[in-house]
């Protein structure tokens, strides 16, 4: 089983734009257009499938909210922060 990170470890790993509420990290991103937002979701979907780790994604026109938690482990794990970094890279590329 994947090891759950302590609150201090999770806070230490938070990247720019990410916040933590308990066992969930989240980031909101506003894109230039709805099609661009959907392109980001498509790219993140490919990464999530490859990692077998899937974020909750809320789509509101051109604003996306990503939420990550390792539900099977019952908290935040390194998987969440690895996928968060990949999400950041996708957003940075847009």
């Amino acid at each position: 089983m994947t090891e759950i990170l302590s609150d201090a470890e999770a806070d230490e790993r938070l990247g720019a734009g990410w916040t933590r509420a308990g066992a969930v990290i989240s980031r909101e991103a506003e894109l230039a257009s709805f099609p661009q937002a959907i392109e980001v979701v498509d790219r993140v979907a490919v990464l999530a499938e490859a990692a077998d780790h899937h974020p909750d994604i809320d789509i509101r026109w051109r604003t996306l909210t990503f939420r990550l938690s390792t539900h099977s482990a019952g908290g935040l794990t390194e998987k969440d922060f690895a996928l968060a970094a990949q999400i950041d890279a996708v957003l940075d590329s847009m």
Side-chain angles (χ1 to χ4, degrees):
M1 180 178 257
T2 307
E3 184 179 328
I4 296 174
L5 300 173
S6 70
D7 288 344
E9 290 170 321
D11 289 341
E12 195 174 285
R13 285 177 170 77
L14 279 178
W18 289 89
T19 59
R20 185 178 69 83
V24 177
I25 59 171
S26 61
R27 177 178 177 181
E28 187 174 283
E30 187 172 318
L31 286 299
S33 66
F34 182 72
Q36 191 177 57
I38 297 305
E39 183 180 344
V40 168
V41 171
D42 286 343
R43 290 183 184 187
V44 169
V46 170
L47 297 170
E49 279 295 298
D52 193 26
H53 190 58
H54 304 88
D56 293 330
I57 304 172
D58 183 49
I59 304 168
R60 305 288 171 148
W61 183 38
R62 60 188 185 133
T63 302
L64 304 174
T65 304
F66 297 94
R67 289 182 187 84
L68 290 163
S69 184
T70 306
H71 302 291
S72 61
L76 290 167
T77 68
E78 193 56 47
K79 285 177 142 184
D80 300 302
F81 294 94
L83 187 54
Q86 291 182 304
I87 292 169
D88 288 343
V90 170
L91 291 168
D92 290 345
S93 74
M94 298 305 287

